Short mmCIF file of all heavy atoms in Angstrom, two decimals:
data_model
loop_
_atom_site.label_atom_id
_atom_site.label_comp_id
_atom_site.label_asym_id
_atom_site.label_seq_id
_atom_site.Cartn_x
_atom_site.Cartn_y
_atom_site.Cartn_z
N SER A 1 5.75 -17.61 8.44
CA SER A 1 4.52 -16.78 8.48
C SER A 1 4.86 -15.32 8.76
O SER A 1 4.33 -14.42 8.13
CB SER A 1 3.62 -17.32 9.58
OG SER A 1 2.39 -17.73 9.07
N TYR A 2 5.72 -15.07 9.75
CA TYR A 2 6.08 -13.72 10.13
C TYR A 2 6.80 -13.01 8.95
O TYR A 2 6.45 -11.86 8.64
CB TYR A 2 7.00 -13.71 11.37
CG TYR A 2 7.40 -12.30 11.77
CD1 TYR A 2 6.53 -11.52 12.53
CD2 TYR A 2 8.60 -11.76 11.33
CE1 TYR A 2 6.87 -10.22 12.88
CE2 TYR A 2 8.95 -10.48 11.68
CZ TYR A 2 8.10 -9.69 12.45
OH TYR A 2 8.43 -8.41 12.77
N LEU A 3 7.72 -13.68 8.34
CA LEU A 3 8.48 -13.06 7.25
C LEU A 3 7.59 -12.75 6.04
O LEU A 3 7.69 -11.68 5.43
CB LEU A 3 9.67 -13.95 6.83
CG LEU A 3 10.76 -14.09 7.91
CD1 LEU A 3 11.78 -15.13 7.45
CD2 LEU A 3 11.39 -12.77 8.21
N LEU A 4 6.71 -13.70 5.67
CA LEU A 4 5.79 -13.46 4.57
C LEU A 4 4.78 -12.34 4.89
O LEU A 4 4.47 -11.52 4.05
CB LEU A 4 5.04 -14.73 4.19
CG LEU A 4 5.81 -15.77 3.44
CD1 LEU A 4 4.98 -17.03 3.22
CD2 LEU A 4 6.28 -15.23 2.08
N ALA A 5 4.32 -12.32 6.12
CA ALA A 5 3.33 -11.30 6.55
C ALA A 5 3.93 -9.90 6.48
O ALA A 5 3.24 -8.91 6.31
CB ALA A 5 2.84 -11.59 7.97
N GLY A 6 5.25 -9.80 6.62
CA GLY A 6 5.91 -8.54 6.51
C GLY A 6 5.96 -7.94 5.13
O GLY A 6 6.25 -6.75 4.94
N ILE A 7 5.63 -8.72 4.11
CA ILE A 7 5.54 -8.22 2.74
C ILE A 7 4.28 -7.39 2.70
O ILE A 7 3.17 -7.96 2.74
CB ILE A 7 5.52 -9.32 1.68
CG1 ILE A 7 6.80 -10.14 1.78
CG2 ILE A 7 5.29 -8.76 0.30
CD1 ILE A 7 6.79 -11.44 0.97
N ASN A 8 4.41 -6.10 2.66
CA ASN A 8 3.26 -5.20 2.83
C ASN A 8 2.62 -4.87 1.48
O ASN A 8 3.25 -4.22 0.65
CB ASN A 8 3.73 -3.95 3.54
CG ASN A 8 2.59 -3.08 3.92
OD1 ASN A 8 2.09 -2.31 3.10
ND2 ASN A 8 2.13 -3.20 5.16
N GLY A 9 1.37 -5.31 1.30
CA GLY A 9 0.66 -5.06 0.07
C GLY A 9 0.50 -3.59 -0.27
O GLY A 9 0.67 -3.18 -1.43
N ALA A 10 0.21 -2.77 0.72
CA ALA A 10 0.04 -1.33 0.51
C ALA A 10 1.33 -0.70 0.02
O ALA A 10 1.36 0.15 -0.87
CB ALA A 10 -0.45 -0.62 1.77
N TYR A 11 2.44 -1.15 0.61
CA TYR A 11 3.77 -0.62 0.19
C TYR A 11 4.03 -1.01 -1.26
O TYR A 11 4.44 -0.16 -2.05
CB TYR A 11 4.86 -1.14 1.13
CG TYR A 11 6.23 -0.65 0.74
CD1 TYR A 11 6.69 0.59 1.18
CD2 TYR A 11 7.06 -1.41 -0.09
CE1 TYR A 11 7.93 1.06 0.82
CE2 TYR A 11 8.31 -0.95 -0.46
CZ TYR A 11 8.73 0.28 -0.01
OH TYR A 11 9.95 0.74 -0.40
N VAL A 12 3.83 -2.29 -1.55
CA VAL A 12 4.11 -2.79 -2.94
C VAL A 12 3.27 -2.00 -3.96
O VAL A 12 3.79 -1.54 -4.98
CB VAL A 12 3.85 -4.30 -3.02
CG1 VAL A 12 3.89 -4.79 -4.46
CG2 VAL A 12 4.83 -5.06 -2.15
N ILE A 13 1.97 -1.89 -3.66
CA ILE A 13 1.06 -1.23 -4.64
C ILE A 13 1.37 0.26 -4.79
O ILE A 13 1.41 0.78 -5.93
CB ILE A 13 -0.42 -1.46 -4.22
CG1 ILE A 13 -0.77 -2.94 -4.31
CG2 ILE A 13 -1.36 -0.60 -5.05
CD1 ILE A 13 -0.56 -3.57 -5.66
N THR A 14 1.56 0.97 -3.69
CA THR A 14 1.81 2.41 -3.83
C THR A 14 3.19 2.69 -4.39
O THR A 14 3.39 3.68 -5.08
CB THR A 14 1.63 3.19 -2.49
OG1 THR A 14 2.47 2.59 -1.49
CG2 THR A 14 0.19 3.17 -2.05
N LYS A 15 4.13 1.81 -4.11
CA LYS A 15 5.48 1.97 -4.72
C LYS A 15 5.36 1.80 -6.26
O LYS A 15 5.95 2.53 -7.02
CB LYS A 15 6.45 0.96 -4.13
CG LYS A 15 7.89 1.32 -4.28
CD LYS A 15 8.19 2.55 -3.51
CE LYS A 15 9.64 2.65 -3.19
NZ LYS A 15 10.04 3.96 -2.77
N TYR A 16 4.58 0.80 -6.65
CA TYR A 16 4.40 0.53 -8.09
C TYR A 16 3.59 1.67 -8.75
O TYR A 16 3.94 2.18 -9.82
CB TYR A 16 3.69 -0.82 -8.29
CG TYR A 16 3.28 -1.07 -9.71
CD1 TYR A 16 4.21 -1.46 -10.65
CD2 TYR A 16 1.96 -0.94 -10.10
CE1 TYR A 16 3.83 -1.70 -11.98
CE2 TYR A 16 1.56 -1.21 -11.41
CZ TYR A 16 2.50 -1.57 -12.34
OH TYR A 16 2.13 -1.80 -13.64
N LYS A 17 2.45 2.02 -8.11
CA LYS A 17 1.52 2.98 -8.73
C LYS A 17 1.99 4.43 -8.62
O LYS A 17 1.87 5.19 -9.58
CB LYS A 17 0.16 2.82 -8.07
CG LYS A 17 -0.95 3.52 -8.79
CD LYS A 17 -2.32 3.12 -8.27
CE LYS A 17 -3.38 3.86 -9.06
NZ LYS A 17 -4.72 3.54 -8.62
N LEU A 18 2.52 4.84 -7.46
CA LEU A 18 2.87 6.23 -7.24
C LEU A 18 4.39 6.47 -7.10
O LEU A 18 4.81 7.63 -6.99
CB LEU A 18 2.19 6.74 -5.95
CG LEU A 18 0.70 6.59 -5.83
CD1 LEU A 18 0.22 7.03 -4.50
CD2 LEU A 18 0.01 7.38 -6.95
N GLN A 19 5.16 5.38 -7.06
CA GLN A 19 6.59 5.49 -6.78
C GLN A 19 6.88 6.18 -5.47
O GLN A 19 7.84 6.97 -5.32
CB GLN A 19 7.38 6.17 -7.92
CG GLN A 19 7.44 5.38 -9.25
CD GLN A 19 6.13 5.41 -10.00
OE1 GLN A 19 5.52 6.45 -10.22
NE2 GLN A 19 5.67 4.24 -10.41
N LYS A 20 6.00 5.95 -4.46
CA LYS A 20 6.17 6.55 -3.14
C LYS A 20 6.02 5.49 -2.05
O LYS A 20 5.42 4.46 -2.28
CB LYS A 20 5.16 7.68 -2.94
CG LYS A 20 5.35 8.85 -3.87
CD LYS A 20 4.38 9.95 -3.60
CE LYS A 20 4.63 11.09 -4.57
NZ LYS A 20 3.70 12.20 -4.40
N ASP A 21 6.50 5.81 -0.88
CA ASP A 21 6.46 4.92 0.30
C ASP A 21 5.12 5.21 1.05
O ASP A 21 4.93 6.32 1.53
CB ASP A 21 7.67 5.20 1.20
CG ASP A 21 7.70 4.38 2.45
OD1 ASP A 21 6.70 3.67 2.74
OD2 ASP A 21 8.71 4.42 3.14
N ILE A 22 4.29 4.22 1.16
CA ILE A 22 2.98 4.35 1.82
C ILE A 22 3.10 4.88 3.26
O ILE A 22 2.24 5.55 3.75
CB ILE A 22 2.16 3.05 1.78
CG1 ILE A 22 0.73 3.25 2.30
CG2 ILE A 22 2.82 1.96 2.59
CD1 ILE A 22 -0.17 4.00 1.38
N THR A 23 4.21 4.54 3.92
CA THR A 23 4.38 4.93 5.33
C THR A 23 4.62 6.45 5.47
O THR A 23 4.64 6.93 6.59
CB THR A 23 5.48 4.14 6.01
OG1 THR A 23 6.75 4.43 5.41
CG2 THR A 23 5.20 2.65 5.98
N THR A 24 4.79 7.14 4.37
CA THR A 24 4.96 8.59 4.42
C THR A 24 3.76 9.32 3.86
O THR A 24 3.74 10.54 3.74
CB THR A 24 6.21 9.03 3.59
OG1 THR A 24 5.99 8.73 2.21
CG2 THR A 24 7.46 8.37 4.09
N LEU A 25 2.70 8.55 3.55
CA LEU A 25 1.48 9.14 2.91
C LEU A 25 0.25 8.91 3.79
O LEU A 25 0.22 7.94 4.57
CB LEU A 25 1.25 8.47 1.56
CG LEU A 25 2.36 8.57 0.52
CD1 LEU A 25 2.07 7.66 -0.68
CD2 LEU A 25 2.60 9.98 0.11
N GLY A 26 -0.68 9.78 3.68
CA GLY A 26 -1.98 9.61 4.37
C GLY A 26 -1.81 9.48 5.87
O GLY A 26 -1.19 10.32 6.52
N SER A 27 -2.31 8.35 6.41
CA SER A 27 -2.25 8.09 7.86
C SER A 27 -0.88 7.61 8.29
O SER A 27 -0.60 7.54 9.47
CB SER A 27 -3.28 7.08 8.25
OG SER A 27 -2.96 5.82 7.71
N GLY A 28 -0.03 7.21 7.36
CA GLY A 28 1.31 6.69 7.69
C GLY A 28 1.33 5.23 7.96
O GLY A 28 2.40 4.65 8.26
N THR A 29 0.19 4.53 7.79
CA THR A 29 0.18 3.08 7.99
C THR A 29 0.21 2.39 6.65
O THR A 29 -0.19 2.91 5.63
CB THR A 29 -1.10 2.62 8.77
OG1 THR A 29 -2.26 2.91 7.98
CG2 THR A 29 -1.18 3.28 10.12
N GLY A 30 0.70 1.14 6.66
CA GLY A 30 0.76 0.35 5.46
C GLY A 30 -0.42 -0.60 5.37
O GLY A 30 -0.26 -1.81 5.24
N GLY A 31 -1.62 -0.05 5.43
CA GLY A 31 -2.83 -0.87 5.38
C GLY A 31 -3.69 -0.55 4.15
O GLY A 31 -3.43 0.43 3.44
N ALA A 32 -4.67 -1.37 3.93
CA ALA A 32 -5.53 -1.22 2.76
C ALA A 32 -6.29 0.09 2.77
O ALA A 32 -6.42 0.72 1.72
CB ALA A 32 -6.50 -2.43 2.69
N ARG A 33 -6.80 0.51 3.93
CA ARG A 33 -7.54 1.77 3.99
C ARG A 33 -6.67 2.93 3.56
O ARG A 33 -7.10 3.82 2.81
CB ARG A 33 -8.09 2.03 5.39
CG ARG A 33 -9.34 1.22 5.69
CD ARG A 33 -9.87 1.53 7.06
NE ARG A 33 -10.34 2.92 7.12
CZ ARG A 33 -10.66 3.55 8.22
NH1 ARG A 33 -10.56 2.95 9.36
NH2 ARG A 33 -11.10 4.77 8.19
N ASN A 34 -5.45 2.97 4.04
CA ASN A 34 -4.57 4.07 3.70
C ASN A 34 -4.18 3.98 2.20
O ASN A 34 -4.12 5.02 1.53
CB ASN A 34 -3.31 4.06 4.56
CG ASN A 34 -2.52 5.35 4.46
OD1 ASN A 34 -3.11 6.43 4.30
ND2 ASN A 34 -1.22 5.26 4.59
N ALA A 35 -3.95 2.78 1.68
CA ALA A 35 -3.65 2.62 0.26
C ALA A 35 -4.79 3.10 -0.58
O ALA A 35 -4.61 3.83 -1.56
CB ALA A 35 -3.33 1.17 -0.08
N GLY A 36 -6.02 2.78 -0.19
CA GLY A 36 -7.20 3.26 -0.92
C GLY A 36 -7.34 4.76 -0.86
O GLY A 36 -7.72 5.40 -1.83
N ARG A 37 -7.05 5.29 0.30
CA ARG A 37 -7.18 6.74 0.53
C ARG A 37 -6.19 7.49 -0.36
O ARG A 37 -6.55 8.51 -0.97
CB ARG A 37 -6.91 7.07 2.00
CG ARG A 37 -7.12 8.50 2.37
CD ARG A 37 -6.82 8.75 3.87
NE ARG A 37 -7.64 7.97 4.74
CZ ARG A 37 -7.20 7.07 5.60
NH1 ARG A 37 -5.91 6.85 5.72
NH2 ARG A 37 -8.00 6.38 6.38
N VAL A 38 -4.94 7.02 -0.47
CA VAL A 38 -3.93 7.79 -1.21
C VAL A 38 -3.77 7.38 -2.65
O VAL A 38 -3.28 8.19 -3.46
CB VAL A 38 -2.56 7.76 -0.47
CG1 VAL A 38 -2.68 8.35 0.93
CG2 VAL A 38 -1.94 6.38 -0.45
N ALA A 39 -4.16 6.16 -3.01
CA ALA A 39 -3.93 5.69 -4.36
C ALA A 39 -5.17 5.15 -5.08
O ALA A 39 -5.09 4.67 -6.21
CB ALA A 39 -2.84 4.63 -4.35
N GLY A 40 -6.33 5.22 -4.41
CA GLY A 40 -7.58 4.84 -5.08
C GLY A 40 -8.09 3.49 -4.79
O GLY A 40 -7.45 2.65 -4.10
N LYS A 41 -9.29 3.21 -5.28
CA LYS A 41 -10.03 1.96 -5.00
C LYS A 41 -9.25 0.72 -5.44
O LYS A 41 -9.23 -0.30 -4.74
CB LYS A 41 -11.40 2.00 -5.70
CG LYS A 41 -12.30 0.87 -5.36
CD LYS A 41 -13.65 1.07 -6.03
CE LYS A 41 -14.62 -0.01 -5.69
NZ LYS A 41 -15.92 0.18 -6.28
N GLN A 42 -8.64 0.77 -6.60
CA GLN A 42 -7.86 -0.39 -7.06
C GLN A 42 -6.70 -0.74 -6.15
O GLN A 42 -6.41 -1.89 -5.89
CB GLN A 42 -7.35 -0.19 -8.49
CG GLN A 42 -8.42 -0.43 -9.53
CD GLN A 42 -7.79 -0.48 -10.93
OE1 GLN A 42 -6.78 0.15 -11.19
NE2 GLN A 42 -8.44 -1.21 -11.79
N ALA A 43 -6.07 0.30 -5.61
CA ALA A 43 -4.97 0.09 -4.65
C ALA A 43 -5.49 -0.60 -3.43
O ALA A 43 -4.83 -1.50 -2.87
CB ALA A 43 -4.30 1.41 -4.34
N PHE A 44 -6.66 -0.19 -2.94
CA PHE A 44 -7.29 -0.81 -1.81
C PHE A 44 -7.51 -2.32 -2.09
O PHE A 44 -7.14 -3.18 -1.30
CB PHE A 44 -8.62 -0.14 -1.44
CG PHE A 44 -9.42 -0.86 -0.38
CD1 PHE A 44 -9.17 -0.66 0.95
CD2 PHE A 44 -10.42 -1.78 -0.75
CE1 PHE A 44 -9.91 -1.32 1.91
CE2 PHE A 44 -11.16 -2.44 0.20
CZ PHE A 44 -10.88 -2.22 1.53
N ILE A 45 -8.13 -2.63 -3.23
CA ILE A 45 -8.46 -4.01 -3.57
C ILE A 45 -7.18 -4.85 -3.70
O ILE A 45 -7.10 -5.95 -3.12
CB ILE A 45 -9.32 -4.05 -4.87
CG1 ILE A 45 -10.68 -3.44 -4.60
CG2 ILE A 45 -9.42 -5.47 -5.40
CD1 ILE A 45 -11.50 -3.14 -5.85
N TRP A 46 -6.22 -4.39 -4.42
CA TRP A 46 -4.96 -5.12 -4.59
C TRP A 46 -4.21 -5.32 -3.28
O TRP A 46 -3.58 -6.37 -3.06
CB TRP A 46 -4.07 -4.54 -5.67
CG TRP A 46 -4.53 -4.88 -7.07
CD1 TRP A 46 -5.11 -4.06 -7.95
CD2 TRP A 46 -4.47 -6.18 -7.62
NE1 TRP A 46 -5.43 -4.78 -9.07
CE2 TRP A 46 -5.02 -6.08 -8.88
CE3 TRP A 46 -3.97 -7.40 -7.19
CZ2 TRP A 46 -5.15 -7.19 -9.76
CZ3 TRP A 46 -4.09 -8.49 -8.05
CH2 TRP A 46 -4.66 -8.38 -9.29
N THR A 47 -4.29 -4.33 -2.43
CA THR A 47 -3.66 -4.47 -1.09
C THR A 47 -4.33 -5.57 -0.30
O THR A 47 -3.63 -6.42 0.31
CB THR A 47 -3.70 -3.14 -0.33
OG1 THR A 47 -2.97 -2.15 -1.04
CG2 THR A 47 -3.15 -3.27 1.07
#
């Protein structure tokens, strides 16, 4: 559970969509709100 939970959806989506690390963008967190803020609504949903 811990290892799977570490697969961060926001990181995966922003890396794919923007080729950037989510932890260096916006608020610096790898969460859905930050993904939506920096990469749009679809990034939020996929995260």
Side-chain angles (χ1 to χ4, degrees):
S1 241
Y2 180 82
L3 294 174
L4 285 175
I7 299 169
N8 188 278
Y11 179 84
V12 171
I13 295 302
T14 56
K15 200 65 157 165
Y16 172 76
K17 193 169 180 179
L18 306 175
Q19 291 75 48
K20 294 183 180 179
D21 179 353
I22 188 73
T23 64
T24 65
L25 303 170
S27 68
T29 63
R33 280 183 66 192
N34 194 33
R37 186 181 300 119
V38 301
K41 186 177 182 178
Q42 280 191 332
F44 172 84
I45 292 167
W46 281 108
T47 298

